[in-house]
Every structure is written in C-alpha cells, then in structure tokens.
Amino acid sequence: MGFETLLGNERLKDNLTGSLRRGHISHFYLISGPAGSGRHTLAKLLAAAILCREPDAPCLHCRVCRKVLDGNHPDFITVDDPEKKTVPVDLIRQARADIFVRPNESDHKIYLFPRAQDMGLPGQNALLKVLEEPPEYGVFLLITDNPERLLPTVRSRCTELTLQPLPDRTLLWELRQRFPKADEETLRAAATAAGGFLGQAEKLLSDGFQLPPQTQALARALADSDSMGVLQVLTPLEKWNRDALIPLTQSWGQLLESALVCRAGGSAVNPAARELARHRTGQDLHDALLAVQKATEYLQANVSPAAVCGYLLWALGRGGPIEN
C-alpha cells in the first residue's frame, strides 16, 4: 500500500493498513501531531486508500488516487476558510447538510477539516450532530495540533491517529537527501531542534539558508568585531520603511538568540549563529540581543528608522576585538 510514502510511524501504518484491508473504515479519524509531523500527508493517503478501487489501495497511480492527491476529487471535500481565525460554523453546517447527498463517483464521501482545533464550540457542536448518526458512506478526517481543544464528545467518536517523531537515523538520512549542501553539524542541529519531525527540520534549514543579505553582513561584522562593517549594514537601512525594518531586526534577534544557545553548549542550525558563538562572548551576544530587541521596540513605537539605526550603530559598533 502507498502508506510507505509517509516516513516513520510504522506501527500506525501497519495498524491502519490491516484495518483497511479487512474493510474496517471508521466514520471519524482524528489525525494529530505538531506542524511538520506529516498530518496532511497521512490525511491524503488515508483518503486515497478509502476511495481507491485498486487491490492494493492506495496505489497512488490510478485516476482516483491522483485526483485525491491533487485535491480535485469531488468526493474529497475540504472544510475551511484559511482567512478566518476560526473555522466558520456556517461551513460546518453546510458540510453537515451536504453529507446526506450521496457520493458523486465513489463509495464514500470524505470531509477534511485541516484545522479541527479552530472549529470553536459552536462549530464542534454543529459537527457533533452528524457524528452521532452519519450516513454509511460518510467519513470525516479531523486534523489537529492540539486534540485537547476538541470536545470529549467529539474525540470519543474518533479513531485517533497520532504521529510520532522520526528516528534520528531516518530523519538525518532524509535531510541529507534534501539538503545535500548542508554540513553534518547543521543537519544534526536541525533534527534536534525539530524534535524529530521532518517538516519542522526542513523549515529550520530552509530559513537558515535564506538569511537576508543584511543579516548575513551584520553577522559577519559582529563576528569580526568590525565597526565599519556594522556601519555599512546600517547606513542604507536609515531610508527603509519602518514596517519593512521590523521583520529584519526581529530576524537579527532570532540569530543572536541561536548564537547564545550555541555559546551555552547547545546546537544552532544556522552556520552564522555558530560563527558568532565562536568569536564573541556570551556577554557580548547578550548585550547585542538586548540592543536589537530594544531597536525593535523603538520601531514598533514609531521611532524613525534613521534614529533606530543610529542607536544600533552606537550599541553594536562600539566594541573592539574580543578574546575567547
């Protein structure tokens, strides 16, 4: 079956495969785990397995599987409005009514709730009415990063599928394939910081290798105690829009936090953070972090970018070479 495309979670996949082969399809599945754990991958594979008509479902090659994976199968329906903080209760009521319309092409009709924890009490109560007596062809896939935010009466009706962290060996092998230019120290730091979840490790590595040029330049200047380098970074930023400058100073704070963790014996995904930790003392990094955080606060309080850059030049560019 196609569940092998989901990394790790062997016991979950074996149990799910055996259940489906015996024809045991639950009306309600609760798929839980943190961001990057594979929840959405599992939901699509499960939907494909239920709708696929090949002997070894999900085959991932037939027309049905391809339509599910591409998100355009008429009997695989997503219930959400990403622009809303809470899933609108009207959408849930519409799904509740629509489920009593028989499937278009398949033997089952599947409703995916990608933010089950954001349904709110009215939405969960609306869903509960159909959970109590669903039609025989109806299947609900609820994805959540926090099962505790669901009503006990909702959870009690669900088959819970909880995704687990990947073994270190599996995660590191996968990261080596996806980030061939990253050194081993960086990969191991990402695996540790992500808690064993591939999606989180990928995001850390992607973010780490996509530092803005101003951040890269500032990191080099601080590592070398180069006051002129700090000046060259900050001078053009005096003309920046305040709203554009705030995310940049926030990224500087994150970099300095990572360097502090590394200096204290932890691991840092970003090579620039490790370089800072090697060349500056913990006190230096702490002082720089406070300065950058203060600069962000000034910007949020409508202080002009020119004044903030002047403050940062004084705070960051005044130090001389530091001995380890």
Side-chain angles (χ1 to χ4, degrees), residues 40 76-95 111-120 141 143:
H40 295 272
F76 182 41
I77 302 148
T78 299
V79 183
D80 193 18
D81 183 348
E83 295 184 0
K84 304 290 186 181
K85 184 176 181 180
T86 302
V87 181
V89 67
D90 287 345
L91 286 182
I92 299 171
R93 288 174 179 152
Q94 290 171 17
Y111 291 83
L112 174 68
F113 292 76
R115 294 188 297 143
Q117 74 280 351
D118 294 332
M119 286 192 292
L141 306 181
I143 294 178

Coordinates of all heavy atoms in Angstrom, one line a residue, residues 40 76-95 111-120 141 143:
H40 N -1.0 16.2 7.2 CA -1.7 16.4 5.9 C -1.3 15.3 4.9 O -2.2 14.9 4.1 CB -1.3 17.7 5.4 CG -1.8 18.9 6.2 ND1 -3.1 19.4 6.1 CD2 -1.3 19.5 7.3 CE1 -3.3 20.4 7.0 NE2 -2.2 20.5 7.7
F76 N -13.9 14.2 -2.1 CA -12.9 14.6 -1.0 C -12.9 16.1 -0.9 O -12.4 16.8 -1.7 CB -11.5 14.1 -1.5 CG -10.4 14.3 -0.4 CD1 -10.7 14.1 0.9 CD2 -9.2 14.8 -0.8 CE1 -9.7 14.4 1.9 CE2 -8.2 15.0 0.1 CZ -8.4 14.8 1.5
I77 N -13.6 16.5 0.2 CA -14.0 17.9 0.3 C -13.3 18.5 1.6 O -13.4 18.0 2.7 CB -15.5 18.0 0.5 CG1 -16.2 17.4 -0.7 CG2 -16.0 19.4 0.7 CD1 -17.5 16.7 -0.4
T78 N -12.7 19.7 1.4 CA -12.0 20.4 2.5 C -13.0 21.4 3.1 O -13.6 22.2 2.3 CB -10.8 21.1 2.0 OG1 -9.8 20.1 1.5 CG2 -10.1 21.9 3.1
V79 N -13.1 21.4 4.4 CA -14.0 22.3 5.1 C -13.1 23.3 5.9 O -12.6 23.0 7.0 CB -14.9 21.6 6.0 CG1 -15.9 22.6 6.7 CG2 -15.7 20.5 5.3
D80 N -12.9 24.5 5.3 CA -12.1 25.5 6.0 C -12.2 26.8 5.2 O -12.5 26.9 4.0 CB -10.6 25.0 6.0 CG -9.8 25.9 7.0 OD1 -10.3 26.6 7.8 OD2 -8.5 25.8 6.9
D81 N -11.8 27.9 5.9 CA -11.6 29.2 5.3 C -10.3 29.8 5.9 O -10.4 30.3 7.0 CB -12.8 30.1 5.6 CG -12.6 31.5 4.9 OD1 -11.5 31.8 4.4 OD2 -13.6 32.3 4.8
P82 N -9.2 29.6 5.3 CA -7.9 29.9 5.9 C -7.8 31.4 6.3 O -6.9 31.7 7.1 CB -6.9 29.6 4.8 CG -7.6 28.6 3.9 CD -9.0 29.0 3.9
E83 N -8.6 32.3 5.7 CA -8.5 33.7 6.0 C -9.2 34.0 7.4 O -9.1 35.1 7.9 CB -9.2 34.5 4.9 CG -8.4 34.4 3.6 CD -9.0 35.3 2.5 OE1 -10.0 36.0 2.8 OE2 -8.4 35.3 1.4
K84 N -10.0 33.0 7.9 CA -10.7 33.2 9.2 C -9.9 32.6 10.3 O -9.4 31.5 10.2 CB -12.1 32.6 9.1 CG -13.0 33.2 8.0 CD -13.4 34.6 8.2 CE -14.3 35.0 7.1 NZ -14.7 36.5 7.3
K85 N -9.8 33.3 11.4 CA -9.1 32.7 12.6 C -9.8 31.4 13.1 O -9.2 30.5 13.5 CB -9.1 33.8 13.7 CG -8.3 33.3 14.9 CD -8.1 34.4 15.9 CE -7.3 34.0 17.1 NZ -7.2 35.0 18.2
T86 N -11.1 31.4 13.1 CA -11.9 30.3 13.5 C -12.7 29.8 12.3 O -13.2 30.5 11.5 CB -13.0 30.7 14.6 OG1 -12.3 31.2 15.7 CG2 -13.8 29.5 15.0
V87 N -12.8 28.4 12.2 CA -13.5 27.8 11.0 C -15.0 28.3 11.2 O -15.6 28.0 12.2 CB -13.4 26.3 11.1 CG1 -14.1 25.7 9.9 CG2 -11.9 25.9 11.1
P88 N -15.5 29.0 10.1 CA -16.9 29.4 10.2 C -17.9 28.3 10.5 O -17.8 27.3 9.8 CB -17.1 30.1 8.9 CG -15.7 30.5 8.4 CD -14.8 29.4 8.9
V89 N -18.8 28.5 11.4 CA -19.8 27.5 11.7 C -20.7 27.2 10.6 O -21.2 26.1 10.4 CB -20.5 27.9 13.0 CG1 -21.4 29.1 12.7 CG2 -21.4 26.7 13.5
D90 N -20.9 28.2 9.7 CA -21.7 28.1 8.5 C -21.1 27.0 7.6 O -21.9 26.2 7.0 CB -21.9 29.4 7.8 CG -22.9 30.3 8.5 OD1 -23.6 29.8 9.5 OD2 -22.9 31.5 8.2
L91 N -19.8 27.0 7.4 CA -19.2 26.0 6.6 C -19.4 24.6 7.1 O -19.6 23.6 6.4 CB -17.7 26.3 6.5 CG -17.2 27.4 5.6 CD1 -15.7 27.5 5.6 CD2 -17.7 27.3 4.2
I92 N -19.3 24.5 8.5 CA -19.6 23.2 9.1 C -21.0 22.7 8.9 O -21.3 21.5 8.6 CB -19.2 23.2 10.6 CG1 -17.7 23.6 10.7 CG2 -19.4 21.9 11.3 CD1 -17.2 23.9 12.1
R93 N -21.9 23.6 9.0 CA -23.3 23.3 8.8 C -23.6 22.9 7.4 O -24.4 22.0 7.1 CB -24.2 24.5 9.2 CG -24.3 24.7 10.7 CD -25.0 26.0 11.1 NE -25.1 26.2 12.5 CZ -25.1 27.4 13.1 NH1 -25.2 28.5 12.4 NH2 -25.2 27.4 14.4
Q94 N -22.9 23.6 6.4 CA -23.1 23.2 5.0 C -22.6 21.8 4.8 O -23.2 21.0 4.0 CB -22.3 24.2 4.1 CG -22.9 25.6 4.1 CD -22.0 26.6 3.4 OE1 -21.1 26.2 2.7 NE2 -22.3 27.9 3.6
A95 N -21.4 21.5 5.4 CA -20.9 20.1 5.2 C -21.8 19.1 5.9 O -22.0 18.0 5.3 CB -19.5 20.0 5.9
Y111 N -14.8 14.2 4.2 CA -14.7 15.6 4.6 C -13.4 15.8 5.4 O -13.3 15.2 6.4 CB -15.9 16.1 5.3 CG -17.2 16.1 4.4 CD1 -17.9 15.0 4.2 CD2 -17.6 17.3 3.8 CE1 -19.0 15.0 3.4 CE2 -18.7 17.3 3.0 CZ -19.4 16.2 2.8 OH -20.5 16.2 2.0
L112 N -12.6 16.7 4.9 CA -11.3 17.0 5.6 C -11.4 18.3 6.3 O -11.8 19.4 5.8 CB -10.2 17.1 4.6 CG -8.8 17.5 5.1 CD1 -8.2 16.5 6.0 CD2 -7.8 17.8 4.0
F113 N -11.1 18.3 7.6 CA -11.1 19.5 8.5 C -9.6 19.8 8.9 O -9.1 19.2 9.9 CB -12.0 19.3 9.7 CG -13.4 19.2 9.5 CD1 -14.0 18.1 8.9 CD2 -14.3 20.3 9.7 CE1 -15.3 18.0 8.7 CE2 -15.6 20.2 9.4 CZ -16.2 19.0 8.9
P114 N -8.9 20.6 8.1 CA -7.5 20.8 8.4 C -7.1 21.5 9.7 O -6.0 21.5 10.1 CB -7.0 21.5 7.1 CG -8.2 22.2 6.6 CD -9.4 21.3 6.9
R115 N -8.1 22.2 10.2 CA -7.9 23.0 11.5 C -9.0 22.6 12.5 O -9.8 23.5 12.9 CB -7.9 24.5 11.2 CG -6.7 25.0 10.4 CD -6.7 26.5 10.4 NE -7.9 27.1 9.8 CZ -8.5 28.2 10.2 NH1 -8.1 28.8 11.2 NH2 -9.6 28.6 9.6
A116 N -9.1 21.4 12.9 CA -10.1 20.9 13.8 C -10.1 21.7 15.1 O -11.2 22.0 15.7 CB -10.0 19.4 14.0
Q117 N -8.9 22.0 15.6 CA -8.8 22.7 16.9 C -9.4 24.1 16.8 O -9.6 24.8 17.8 CB -7.4 22.7 17.4 CG -6.4 23.7 16.6 CD -5.9 23.2 15.3 OE1 -6.1 22.0 15.0 NE2 -5.3 24.0 14.5
D118 N -9.6 24.6 15.6 CA -10.1 26.0 15.4 C -11.6 26.1 15.1 O -12.0 27.1 14.6 CB -9.3 26.7 14.3 CG -7.8 26.9 14.7 OD1 -7.5 27.0 15.9 OD2 -6.9 27.0 13.8
M119 N -12.3 25.0 15.3 CA -13.7 25.0 15.0 C -14.5 25.8 16.0 O -15.6 26.3 15.7 CB -14.2 23.6 14.9 CG -13.8 22.8 13.6 SD -14.7 21.3 13.4 CE -14.1 20.3 14.7
G120 N -14.0 25.9 17.2 CA -14.8 26.6 18.2 C -15.9 25.7 18.7 O -16.3 24.7 18.1
L141 N -12.3 13.4 8.3 CA -10.9 13.4 8.7 C -10.6 14.7 9.4 O -10.6 15.8 8.8 CB -9.9 13.3 7.5 CG -10.2 12.1 6.6 CD1 -9.2 12.1 5.4 CD2 -10.1 10.8 7.3
I143 N -7.9 17.1 11.4 CA -6.5 17.3 11.6 C -6.4 18.3 12.7 O -7.0 19.4 12.7 CB -5.8 17.8 10.3 CG1 -5.8 16.7 9.3 CG2 -4.4 18.2 10.6 CD1 -5.2 17.1 7.9

